[in-house]
Coordinates of all heavy atoms in Angstrom, one line a residue:
T34 N 29.8 202.9 -36.6 CA 28.4 202.5 -36.9 C 28.2 202.1 -38.3 O 27.0 201.7 -38.6 CB 27.5 203.7 -36.6 OG1 27.7 204.8 -37.5 CG2 27.7 204.3 -35.2
L35 N 29.2 202.0 -39.1 CA 29.0 201.6 -40.5 C 28.6 200.1 -40.6 O 29.2 199.2 -40.0 CB 30.3 201.7 -41.3 CG 30.7 203.1 -41.7 CD1 32.0 203.1 -42.5 CD2 29.6 203.8 -42.6
T36 N 27.5 199.8 -41.3 CA 27.0 198.5 -41.5 C 26.9 198.0 -42.9 O 26.6 196.8 -43.1 CB 25.6 198.3 -40.8 OG1 24.8 199.3 -41.3 CG2 25.8 198.5 -39.3
S37 N 27.1 198.8 -43.9 CA 27.1 198.4 -45.3 C 27.7 199.4 -46.2 O 27.8 200.6 -45.9 CB 25.7 198.1 -45.8 OG 25.0 199.3 -46.0
F38 N 28.2 198.9 -47.3 CA 28.6 199.8 -48.5 C 28.1 199.1 -49.7 O 28.4 198.0 -50.0 CB 30.2 199.8 -48.5 CG 30.7 200.7 -49.7 CD1 31.2 201.9 -49.4 CD2 30.8 200.2 -51.0 CE1 31.7 202.7 -50.5 CE2 31.3 200.9 -52.0 CZ 31.8 202.2 -51.8
Q39 N 27.2 199.9 -50.5 CA 26.5 199.3 -51.6 C 26.5 200.3 -52.8 O 26.1 201.4 -52.6 CB 25.0 199.0 -51.2 CG 24.9 198.1 -49.9 CD 23.5 198.0 -49.5 OE1 22.7 197.3 -50.1 NE2 23.2 198.7 -48.3
W40 N 27.0 199.8 -53.9 CA 26.9 200.6 -55.2 C 25.5 200.7 -55.6 O 24.7 199.7 -55.5 CB 27.8 199.9 -56.2 CG 29.2 199.8 -55.9 CD1 29.9 198.6 -55.6 CD2 30.2 200.8 -55.8 NE1 31.2 198.9 -55.4 CE2 31.4 200.2 -55.5 CE3 30.1 202.2 -56.1 CZ2 32.6 201.0 -55.4 CZ3 31.3 203.0 -55.9 CH2 32.5 202.4 -55.6
L41 N 25.2 201.8 -56.3 CA 23.8 202.0 -56.8 C 23.8 201.5 -58.3 O 24.7 201.7 -59.0 CB 23.4 203.5 -56.7 CG 23.3 204.1 -55.3 CD1 22.7 205.5 -55.4 CD2 22.6 203.2 -54.4
D42 N 22.7 200.9 -58.7 CA 22.4 200.4 -60.0 C 21.8 201.5 -60.9 O 21.4 202.6 -60.4 CB 21.5 199.2 -60.0 CG 22.1 198.0 -59.4 OD1 23.4 197.9 -59.5 OD2 21.4 197.2 -58.8
D43 N 21.8 201.3 -62.2 CA 21.2 202.3 -63.1 C 19.7 202.2 -63.2 O 19.0 203.0 -63.9 CB 21.8 202.2 -64.5 CG 21.7 200.8 -65.1 OD1 21.0 199.9 -64.5 OD2 22.2 200.6 -66.2
A46 N 16.2 200.1 -57.5 CA 16.3 198.7 -56.9 C 16.3 198.9 -55.4 O 16.8 199.9 -54.8 CB 17.5 198.0 -57.4
A47 N 15.8 197.9 -54.7 CA 15.9 197.8 -53.2 C 17.4 197.5 -52.8 O 18.1 196.9 -53.6 CB 15.0 196.7 -52.7
V48 N 17.8 198.0 -51.6 CA 19.1 197.7 -51.1 C 18.9 197.1 -49.7 O 17.8 197.1 -49.2 CB 19.9 199.0 -51.0 CG1 20.2 199.6 -52.4 CG2 19.3 200.0 -50.1
D49 N 20.0 196.7 -49.2 CA 20.0 196.1 -47.8 C 20.0 197.1 -46.7 O 20.5 198.2 -46.9 CB 21.2 195.2 -47.6 CG 21.3 194.0 -48.5 OD1 20.2 193.5 -48.9 OD2 22.4 193.5 -48.8
L50 N 19.3 196.9 -45.7 CA 19.3 197.6 -44.4 C 18.7 199.0 -44.4 O 18.7 199.7 -43.4 CB 20.8 197.7 -43.9 CG 21.5 196.4 -43.8 CD1 23.0 196.7 -43.3 CD2 20.9 195.5 -42.8
T51 N 18.0 199.3 -45.5 CA 17.3 200.6 -45.6 C 16.2 200.5 -46.6 O 16.4 199.8 -47.6 CB 18.3 201.8 -45.9 OG1 17.6 203.0 -45.6 CG2 18.7 201.8 -47.3
P52 N 15.0 201.1 -46.4 CA 13.9 201.1 -47.3 C 14.2 202.0 -48.5 O 15.1 202.7 -48.6 CB 12.7 201.5 -46.5 CG 13.3 202.4 -45.4 CD 14.6 201.8 -45.1
G53 N 13.2 201.9 -49.5 CA 13.2 202.7 -50.7 C 13.9 202.0 -51.9 O 14.4 201.0 -51.8
L54 N 13.7 202.7 -53.0 CA 14.4 202.2 -54.3 C 15.4 203.2 -54.7 O 15.2 204.4 -54.7 CB 13.3 202.1 -55.4 CG 12.2 201.1 -55.1 CD1 11.1 201.2 -56.3 CD2 12.7 199.7 -54.9
W55 N 16.6 202.7 -54.9 CA 17.8 203.6 -55.1 C 18.4 203.4 -56.5 O 18.4 202.2 -57.0 CB 18.9 203.2 -54.1 CG 18.4 203.4 -52.7 CD1 17.6 202.6 -52.0 CD2 18.7 204.4 -51.8 NE1 17.4 203.0 -50.7 CE2 18.1 204.2 -50.6 CE3 19.5 205.6 -51.9 CZ2 18.2 205.0 -49.5 CZ3 19.7 206.4 -50.8 CH2 19.0 206.1 -49.6
S56 N 18.9 204.4 -57.1 CA 19.5 204.3 -58.5 C 20.3 205.5 -58.8 O 20.4 206.5 -58.0 CB 18.4 204.2 -59.5 OG 17.6 205.3 -59.6
T57 N 21.0 205.4 -60.0 CA 21.8 206.6 -60.5 C 21.8 206.5 -62.0 O 21.8 205.4 -62.6 CB 23.2 206.5 -59.9 OG1 24.0 207.6 -60.5 CG2 23.9 205.2 -60.3
A62 N 22.1 210.8 -58.2 CA 21.6 209.7 -57.5 C 20.1 210.0 -57.1 O 19.7 211.1 -56.9 CB 22.4 209.5 -56.2
F63 N 19.3 208.9 -57.2 CA 17.9 209.0 -56.9 C 17.4 208.1 -55.8 O 17.9 207.0 -55.7 CB 17.1 208.7 -58.2 CG 17.4 209.6 -59.4 CD1 18.4 209.2 -60.3 CD2 16.9 210.8 -59.6 CE1 18.7 209.9 -61.4 CE2 17.2 211.6 -60.7 CZ 18.1 211.2 -61.6
W97 N 22.3 211.7 -46.0 CA 21.1 212.1 -46.9 C 19.8 211.9 -46.1 O 19.0 212.8 -45.9 CB 21.2 211.3 -48.2 CG 20.3 211.9 -49.3 CD1 19.7 213.1 -49.3 CD2 20.1 211.3 -50.5 NE1 19.1 213.3 -50.5 CE2 19.3 212.2 -51.3 CE3 20.4 210.1 -51.1 CZ2 18.8 211.9 -52.6 CZ3 20.0 209.8 -52.4 CH2 19.2 210.7 -53.1
H100 N 16.3 206.8 -40.7 CA 15.1 206.1 -40.3 C 15.4 205.2 -39.1 O 16.5 204.9 -38.7 CB 14.6 205.2 -41.5 CG 15.5 204.1 -41.9 ND1 15.4 202.9 -41.3 CD2 16.6 204.1 -42.7 CE1 16.4 202.1 -41.9 NE2 17.1 202.8 -42.7
V108 N 19.2 204.8 -38.0 CA 20.0 204.5 -39.1 C 20.2 205.7 -40.0 O 19.1 206.3 -40.4 CB 19.5 203.3 -40.0 CG1 20.3 203.1 -41.2 CG2 19.4 202.0 -39.1
M109 N 21.4 206.1 -40.3 CA 21.6 207.3 -41.2 C 22.2 206.7 -42.5 O 23.1 205.9 -42.4 CB 22.5 208.3 -40.5 CG 22.7 209.6 -41.3 SD 23.6 210.8 -40.4 CE 22.4 211.2 -39.1
V110 N 21.7 207.2 -43.6 CA 22.2 206.7 -44.9 C 23.0 207.8 -45.5 O 22.6 208.9 -45.8 CB 21.0 206.3 -45.8 CG1 21.6 205.7 -47.1 CG2 20.1 205.3 -45.1
E111 N 24.3 207.4 -45.8 CA 25.3 208.3 -46.4 C 25.3 208.0 -47.9 O 25.6 206.9 -48.3 CB 26.6 208.1 -45.7 CG 27.8 208.8 -46.4 CD 29.1 208.3 -46.0 OE1 29.2 207.3 -45.2 OE2 30.1 208.8 -46.4
L112 N 25.1 209.1 -48.7 CA 25.4 209.0 -50.1 C 26.8 209.3 -50.4 O 27.3 210.3 -49.8 CB 24.4 209.9 -50.9 CG 24.6 209.9 -52.4 CD1 24.1 208.6 -53.0 CD2 23.8 211.1 -53.0
A113 N 27.5 208.6 -51.2 CA 28.9 208.8 -51.5 C 29.2 208.7 -52.9 O 28.6 207.8 -53.6 CB 29.8 207.9 -50.6
M114 N 30.2 209.4 -53.4 CA 30.7 209.3 -54.8 C 32.1 208.8 -54.6 O 33.0 209.5 -54.1 CB 30.6 210.6 -55.5 CG 31.4 210.6 -56.9 SD 30.6 209.7 -58.2 CE 29.5 211.0 -58.9
R115 N 32.4 207.6 -55.1 CA 33.8 207.0 -55.0 C 34.1 206.4 -56.4 O 33.3 205.7 -57.0 CB 33.8 205.9 -53.9 CG 33.6 206.5 -52.5 CD 34.7 207.4 -52.0 NE 34.4 207.8 -50.6 CZ 33.7 208.9 -50.3 NH1 33.2 209.7 -51.2 NH2 33.6 209.2 -49.0
K118 N 31.6 206.7 -59.1 CA 30.3 206.0 -59.0 C 29.7 206.3 -57.7 O 30.3 206.5 -56.7 CB 30.6 204.5 -59.1 CG 31.2 204.0 -60.5 CD 31.3 202.5 -60.5 CE 32.3 201.9 -59.5 NZ 32.4 200.5 -59.7
Y119 N 28.3 206.2 -57.7 CA 27.5 206.4 -56.5 C 27.4 205.2 -55.7 O 27.2 204.1 -56.2 CB 26.2 207.0 -56.8 CG 26.1 208.4 -57.2 CD1 26.1 208.9 -58.5 CD2 26.2 209.4 -56.1 CE1 26.0 210.2 -58.8 CE2 26.2 210.8 -56.4 CZ 26.1 211.2 -57.7 OH 26.1 212.5 -58.0
A120 N 27.5 205.3 -54.4 CA 27.2 204.3 -53.4 C 26.5 204.8 -52.2 O 26.5 206.0 -52.0 CB 28.6 203.6 -53.0
I121 N 26.0 203.9 -51.4 CA 25.4 204.4 -50.1 C 26.1 203.5 -49.0 O 26.6 202.4 -49.2 CB 23.9 204.2 -50.0 CG1 23.5 202.7 -50.1 CG2 23.2 205.1 -50.9 CD1 22.1 202.5 -49.7
R122 N 26.3 204.2 -47.8 CA 26.7 203.5 -46.6 C 25.7 203.7 -45.5 O 25.2 204.8 -45.3 CB 28.1 204.0 -46.2 CG 29.2 203.6 -47.1 CD 30.6 203.8 -46.4 NE 31.0 205.2 -46.4 CZ 32.3 205.6 -46.5 NH1 33.2 204.7 -46.6 NH2 32.6 206.9 -46.5
T123 N 25.3 202.6 -44.9 CA 24.4 202.7 -43.7 C 25.2 202.8 -42.5 O 26.2 202.2 -42.3 CB 23.4 201.5 -43.7 OG1 24.2 200.3 -43.7 CG2 22.4 201.6 -44.8
R124 N 24.7 203.7 -41.6 CA 25.3 204.0 -40.3 C 24.3 203.7 -39.2 O 23.3 204.5 -39.1 CB 25.9 205.4 -40.2 CG 27.0 205.6 -41.2 CD 27.4 207.1 -41.2 NE 28.5 207.4 -42.2 CZ 29.7 207.7 -41.8 NH1 30.1 207.8 -40.5 NH2 30.6 207.9 -42.7
D125 N 24.4 202.7 -38.4 CA 23.4 202.2 -37.5 C 24.0 202.4 -36.0 O 25.0 201.8 -35.6 CB 23.1 200.7 -37.7 CG 21.9 200.3 -36.9 OD1 21.6 200.9 -35.9 OD2 21.3 199.2 -37.3
N167 N 39.3 199.5 -50.4 CA 38.3 198.9 -51.3 C 38.9 198.6 -52.7 O 39.4 199.6 -53.3 CB 37.0 199.8 -51.5 CG 35.9 199.1 -52.3 OD1 36.2 198.4 -53.3 ND2 34.7 199.3 -51.8
L169 N 37.9 198.1 -55.5 CA 37.2 198.7 -56.6 C 37.3 200.2 -56.6 O 36.8 200.9 -57.6 CB 35.7 198.4 -56.6 CG 35.4 196.9 -56.7 CD1 33.9 196.7 -56.6 CD2 35.9 196.3 -57.9
V170 N 38.1 200.8 -55.7 CA 38.2 202.2 -55.6 C 39.7 202.6 -55.6 O 40.5 202.2 -54.7 CB 37.6 202.8 -54.3 CG1 37.8 204.3 -54.2 CG2 36.1 202.5 -54.3
T248 N 36.2 198.7 -39.9 CA 35.0 198.3 -40.7 C 35.4 197.9 -42.1 O 36.4 198.5 -42.6 CB 34.0 199.5 -40.7 OG1 33.0 199.1 -41.7 CG2 34.6 200.8 -41.2
P249 N 34.8 196.9 -42.7 CA 35.1 196.5 -44.1 C 34.5 197.5 -45.1 O 34.6 197.3 -46.3 CB 34.5 195.2 -44.2 CG 33.3 195.1 -43.2 CD 33.8 196.0 -42.0
Y250 N 33.8 198.6 -44.6 CA 33.1 199.4 -45.5 C 33.8 200.8 -45.7 O 33.2 201.7 -46.2 CB 31.7 199.7 -45.0 CG 31.0 198.4 -44.7 CD1 30.6 198.1 -43.4 CD2 30.7 197.4 -45.6 CE1 29.9 196.9 -43.1 CE2 30.1 196.2 -45.4 CZ 29.7 195.9 -44.1 OH 29.1 194.7 -43.8
G251 N 35.1 200.8 -45.4 CA 35.8 202.1 -45.7 C 36.5 202.0 -47.0 O 36.7 201.0 -47.6
T252 N 36.9 203.2 -47.5 CA 37.6 203.4 -48.8 C 38.9 204.2 -48.5 O 39.2 205.1 -49.2 CB 36.8 204.0 -49.8 OG1 36.3 205.3 -49.4 CG2 35.5 203.2 -50.2

Side-chain angles (χ1 to χ4, degrees):
T34 66
L35 286 180
T36 52
S37 75
F38 180 100
Q39 304 172 74
W40 298 108
L41 300 189
D42 292 330
D43 57 2
V48 298
D49 294 334
L50 305 179
T51 193
L54 299 176
W55 301 76
S56 63
T57 177
F63 302 95
W97 200 10
H100 66 92
V108 178
M109 188 171 290
V110 185
E111 171 195 4
L112 179 69
M114 170 75 87
R115 297 292 184 271
K118 299 184 294 183
Y119 279 102
I121 61 166
R122 288 194 285 211
T123 50
R124 297 173 179 249
D125 189 338
N167 186 320
L169 299 178
V170 177
T248 170
Y250 308 117
T252 58

